[in-house]
Amino acid sequence: PAEARQMVEKSLQTPRARKNLFLIEVSSKLQGDVSEIFNLFATDLDYAPFTLSGEKRKIGSATTDSVSGSEPVELRMTVMDDKSGTLKRWFSNHHAAVAAEDGTVGVPDAYAVRIKIVHAFVTQESNRGGYEDIGQFRPVNMEINLSRREDAMAELQMTFTQLDSFMKAPG
């Protein structure tokens, strides 16, 4: 019982990470640093920071795991927007830099979006100690849901994909 009590006390004293405490840094050469507006309007963030692909191989009667590589990260961000459509325009401008109306495709340097996510940060000024992920992404799609049946805030679902899985974005 004494050992169990110590384990419970240690568990209760351990500061836990909160899922609602995250900081997003978003910047690109196309439109500069827009971290402030993303932190103001972001409500949800879903991503898997790493995915390893592979397959099982039979060796006689045994099985071995054969890793074939690291998959790119897909990041989904739910954000609200202001009446002037600031984030819709931001995404649209990046989309146009990737695939222009004339059928040409832009170079990644022109449309790459640097996204850094810091989990369980202390304050905006000092986010030391929190877990962070960082990468270079490109816009994939933006989903907009509108409804006349409810008087709710408009939300956008933005999806980004990692440009490559072998480089981290510069800090």
Side-chain angles (χ1 to χ4, degrees), residues 22 24 38 40-45 77-80 155-156:
F22 61 93
I24 308 168
F38 269 90
L40 182 64
F41 288 133
T43 58
D44 297 293
L45 191 65
M77 192 181 308
T78 304
V79 298
M80 294 181 285
E155 292 183 340
L156 313 172

Side-chain angles (χ1 to χ4, degrees), residues 24-28 31-37 90:
I24 308 168
E25 293 179 11
V26 180
S27 62
S28 66
Q31 291 195 255
D33 187 352
V34 290
S35 301
E36 186 176 340
I37 194 159
W90 179 89

Side-chain angles (χ1 to χ4, degrees), residues 27-32 93-98 105-113 136-139 163:
S27 62
S28 66
K29 283 189 176 179
L30 186 63
Q31 291 195 255
N93 290 339
H94 283 81
H95 177 270
V98 175
V105 176
V107 295
D109 188 54
Y111 60 75
V113 178
Q136 296 276 13
F137 294 84
R138 73 166 168 82
L163 288 175

Side-chain angles (χ1 to χ4, degrees), residues 1-16:
E3 191 175 317
R5 185 178 12 251
Q6 287 175 346
M7 288 174 54
V8 169
E9 286 174 4
K10 186 174 184 175
S11 175
L12 293 173
Q13 293 171 357
T14 303
R16 306 260 197 257

Side-chain angles (χ1 to χ4, degrees), residues 7-84:
M7 288 174 54
V8 169
E9 286 174 4
K10 186 174 184 175
S11 175
L12 293 173
Q13 293 171 357
T14 303
R16 306 260 197 257
R18 309 288 289 178
K19 70 187 291 181
N20 65 340
L21 292 179
F22 61 93
L23 183 66
I24 308 168
E25 293 179 11
V26 180
S27 62
S28 66
K29 283 189 176 179
L30 186 63
Q31 291 195 255
D33 187 352
V34 290
S35 301
E36 186 176 340
I37 194 159
F38 269 90
N39 280 299
L40 182 64
F41 288 133
T43 58
D44 297 293
L45 191 65
D46 297 303
Y47 72 108
F50 5 80
T51 302
L52 294 172
S53 58
E55 60 183 278
K56 305 293 184 199
R57 298 194 187 254
K58 292 293 262 176
I59 301 175
S61 64
T63 304
T64 185
D65 185 35
S66 175
V67 177
S68 59
S70 179
E71 299 297 320
V73 174
E74 184 175 283
L75 186 139
R76 289 169 309 284
M77 192 181 308
T78 304
V79 298
M80 294 181 285
D81 203 2
D82 57 16
K83 286 183 177 181
S84 61

Side-chain angles (χ1 to χ4, degrees), residues 101-127:
E101 289 181 7
D102 64 4
T104 59
V105 176
V107 295
D109 188 54
Y111 60 75
V113 178
R114 178 186 177 273
I115 300 177
K116 177 180 175 184
I117 303 151
V118 182
H119 303 236
F121 64 95
V122 179
T123 65
Q124 259 185 310
E125 295 78 32
S126 172
N127 52 19

